[in-house]
Amino acid sequence: MDIGTRIGVVGAGTMGAGIAQLAATAGHQVALVDLSREALDRASTSMQQTFKRLVEKGRMDEARAESILGRIQFSDSIGAMKNAGLAIEAIVERLDAKSNLLRALEDTISEDAVIATNTSSLSIAALGAVLHHPERFLGLHFFNPAPVMQLVEVIPGVATEGRAIGAARNLMEVWGKSPVLAKDTPGFIVNRVARPYYGEALRIYDEGAADIATIDWAMREIGRFRMGPFELMDFIGHDVNYVVTRTVWEAMYFDPRFKPSLTQLRLLEAGRLGRKSGQGFYDYRPGAVAPQPQEDRLLGERIFERVLAMIVNEAADAVLYGVSTVDGIDAAMTLGVNYPKGPLAWADELGVKRIVAVLDGLMNEYDEDRYRVSPVLRRLSGSGGRFKEMRSHA
Ligand code: NAI
């Protein structure tokens, strides 16, 4: 399947604009479509500013910046993308809106074009089912900001044909990305494996075992994560982060491992969405005093081990259910959300036995399904094996 030179992107918000910029930088003619003229204007202005900065910093010459921008056509009609070899939708995260758009797209573009969705939580199978030709439809899940983040999760639906998958993967490599194949399961790789980073931190806080500043400190100082879970949730926004958690929990038939936190729901209900609203777990208003962590190394180690063990457990389960390979999962977590190490390589380094001991300790204490050990971890722990050895045939 040849995607050719023309790319269409629908939705000129954060993600669509980023994807359009990426495609134009890779040399494509791009049609960027949105219902809203304001969204198109905002996308155009923000791209001009981005390229102006790149030119000022000497990272790009003006002629190149102009030619990239000149390759993007901003339009309020999907008719503008009728010659596209690949159409990517990045509109609002709603099944009805996306289904309607996909139907219209199929009627507009050629029969052999590939159609992709940038959805973060909807089922690829469900979205594809509205098409006459779901075999050329798949998920291409980019990360924000799309021009910068290396990871693209490539998600075939049950009906997707190999040639569409191959064409999309090749193209992502040409664009300089690291495509990782993921199964069409809730949260795909990153939004599933990352859940315990928030969920277990919230649980520790809800139990009163440590305060937010201390948990953030432990994950930054001991775990070497770029941001602690609470500052990260505030940064993402509780409207987005809570909804992703709830969606994954519901889609996993209410598996207790993914159970959302009432504390986070209360923040959302109160309109304390995080940085963007001035308050979340932390107070961002002028003059606010930041809470100080309790820099207790022993407590910090315990917090870090508990959260990491839960992430590893989730990653191990993702291997068990074929969501991706060991390498795919580690690559996704380092390239998509900047984890300092892939969770499975981390487990090898700390010792699978140690991770299992932490989880067994939690299970012993709470007696909840949430802490049951993944059979993959149990097996490796019993045999003294390592994830590294599973890499080639996972
Ligand atoms: P956004 O709200 O910034 O942009 C969505 C745009 O779609 C808006 O400009 C809106 O006017 C437009 N739109 C809505 N319905 C439309 C229609 N029927 N036809 C044409 N345009 C329409 O949203 P954002 O954050 O860019 O997200 C877009 C998609 O990407 C969602 O599916 C989201 O789940 C997914 N995603 C978001 C990430 C993020 O970090 N923001 C990361 C990865 C995926």
Side-chain angles (χ1 to χ4, degrees):
M1 241 173 166
D2 183 23
I3 282 173
T5 56
R6 290 179 183 277
I7 305 285
V9 180
V10 197
T14 314
M15 295 309 292
I19 297 165
Q21 183 188 318
L22 173 68
T25 305
H28 295 275
Q29 292 292 333
V30 181
L32 178 58
V33 175
D34 202 294
L35 285 176
S36 145
R37 265 279 144 207
E38 290 77 46
L40 290 166
D41 290 344
R42 253 197 321 272
S44 164
T45 309
S46 129
M47 272 187 231
Q48 280 169 23
Q49 282 164 352
T50 302
F51 283 108
K52 191 163 164 248
R53 271 199 305 274
L54 289 175
V55 170
E56 277 166 8
K57 285 188 188 159
R59 300 228 193 111
M60 188 181 280
D61 63 50
E62 209 165 333
R64 178 160 158 72
E66 267 174 28
S67 75
I68 294 172
L69 280 170
R71 282 196 284 275
I72 306 177
Q73 182 198 351
F74 296 84
S75 172
D76 58 10
S77 155
I78 57 170
M81 51 202 284
K82 66 175 190 300
N83 297 321
L86 168 67
I88 305 174
E89 77 73 23
I91 69 164
V92 56
E93 184 77 351
R94 278 200 350 245
L95 185 65
D96 57 340
K98 285 192 193 290
S99 299
N100 289 337
L101 171 73
L102 288 170
R103 267 190 221 106
L105 262 182
E106 190 170 45
D107 290 340
T108 307
I109 64 175
S110 88
E111 276 223 354
D112 49 7
V114 174
I115 306 178
T117 172
N118 185 49
T119 183
S120 12
S121 60
L122 299 172
S123 142
I124 306 301
L127 289 169
V130 307
L131 299 174
H132 297 297
H133 294 289
E135 62 276 7
R136 40 102 164 237
F137 176 72
L138 79 174
L140 281 180
H141 187 215
F142 291 83
F143 290 76
N144 187 20
V148 177
M149 299 305 286
Q150 274 292 113
L151 179 68
V152 180
E153 291 178 335
V154 177
I155 312 124
V158 281
T160 314
E161 276 181 359
R163 55 201 192 107
I165 305 166
R169 278 181 89 160
N170 287 343
L171 186 71
M172 291 306 105
E173 271 162 16
V174 171
W175 289 6
K177 295 294 177 193
S178 302
V180 172
L181 208 58
K183 208 181 207 169
D184 183 12
T185 47
F188 312 129
I189 306 170
V190 168
N191 280 336
R192 171 186 187 143
V193 176
R195 295 280 42 89
Y197 192 63
Y198 317 109
E200 202 55 22
L202 280 159
R203 175 78 189 240
I204 294 169
Y205 169 67
D206 282 344
E207 285 178 1
D211 57 69
I212 56 169
T214 302
I215 300 170
D216 277 352
W217 166 81
M219 297 315 289
R220 269 196 327 263
E221 288 303 308
I222 298 166
R224 295 283 156 208
F225 284 85
R226 285 204 191 162
M227 288 172 100
F230 295 96
E231 48 188 355
L232 184 53
M233 283 184 272
D234 272 0
F235 180 77
I236 296 169
H238 297 290
D239 46 347
V240 175
N241 186 265
Y242 176 82
V243 170
V244 174
T245 300
R246 202 191 56 204
T247 308
V248 172
W249 175 59
E250 288 169 357
M252 296 297 260
Y253 301 110
F254 305 101
D255 185 322
R257 292 203 315 271
F258 301 102
K259 196 161 120 187
S261 149
L262 282 172
T263 305
Q264 191 180 23
L265 176 61
R266 293 292 176 265
L267 283 182
L268 175 59
E269 289 168 341
R272 295 192 178 183
L273 304 182
R275 267 181 190 277
K276 61 185 167 195
S277 71
Q279 270 177 296
F281 281 109
Y282 293 96
D283 191 341
Y284 301 92
R285 293 168 304 174
V289 181
Q292 290 306 304
Q294 193 189 331
E295 295 187 11
D296 172 340
R297 195 86 204 164
L298 211 64
L299 174 63
E301 291 278 355
R302 279 217 308 278
I303 293 168
F304 163 64
E305 276 198 340
R306 177 167 169 178
V307 174
L308 182 69
M310 290 297 278
I311 294 171
V312 170
N313 204 26
E314 202 46 60
D317 247 28
V319 173
L320 177 68
Y321 291 111
V323 175
S324 190
T325 60
V326 169
D327 282 338
I329 291 166
D330 274 357
M333 301 315 289
T334 50
L335 302 176
V337 272
N338 292 320
Y339 278 20
K341 288 173 197 164
L344 300 170
W346 220 339
D348 280 348
E349 198 180 297
L350 292 175
V352 172
K353 278 193 170 27
R354 177 77 208 135
I355 300 286
V356 170
V358 173
L359 293 167
D360 279 342
L362 290 165
M363 187 60 164
N364 196 32
E365 190 176 347
Y366 295 103
D367 201 16
E368 283 177 44
D369 250 13
R370 177 184 179 86
Y371 298 111
R372 62 115 191 87
V373 175
S374 167
V376 172
L377 282 176
R378 188 69 78 197
R379 222 178 289 146
L380 285 180
S381 165
S383 67
R386 291 153 61 88
F387 282 103
K388 194 163 176 249
E389 288 137 21
M390 293 177 70
R391 276 174 208 272
S392 48
H393 48 88

